[in-house]
Amino acid sequence: MDNSEISQSLNNIANQVSNLGSNTSVGLGDISQKIDHLNTGIALTNTLLVLLIVSIILNSLINWRNKKKN
């Protein structure tokens, strides 16, 4: 190998390393967006779960009150 081949190889390696950084940044941005989407879905699910629990409690109290009257 002469100096020009070594220089070309080193340049290729340097370019590949810099491309890895760019690709990693793009991938992390995509993952961050997916995590944000999941967080939004989880927040909605938690809200619906709280509403379900409140309605179950109210239903139980109403049933208990009706049985107590009879």
Side-chain angles (χ1 to χ4, degrees), residues 2 12 16 20 25-26 34 36 39 41 44 47 50 55 64:
D2 62 355
N12 287 339
Q16 290 176 356
L20 283 175
S25 295
V26 169
K34 290 179 180 180
D36 287 340
N39 284 339
L44 177 62
T47 302
V50 167
S55 63
W64 176 74

Side-chain angles (χ1 to χ4, degrees), residues 7-52:
S7 177
Q8 183 63 34
S9 294
L10 289 175
N11 284 336
N12 287 339
I13 291 171
N15 287 334
Q16 290 176 356
V17 168
S18 67
N19 287 339
L20 283 175
S22 298
N23 292 340
T24 302
S25 295
V26 169
L28 289 176
D30 187 41
I31 290 170
S32 178
Q33 289 175 350
K34 290 179 180 180
I35 289 173
D36 287 340
H37 183 69
L38 285 174
N39 284 339
T40 302
I42 288 172
L44 177 62
T45 302
N46 286 343
T47 302
L48 292 173
L49 183 59
V50 167
L51 291 174
L52 178 64

Side-chain angles (χ1 to χ4, degrees), residues 55-68:
S55 63
I56 289 172
I57 290 171
L58 287 174
N59 187 31
S60 297
L61 288 174
I62 291 169
N63 286 338
W64 176 74
R65 194 168 129 202
N66 289 339
K67 286 181 182 180
K68 191 175 179 182

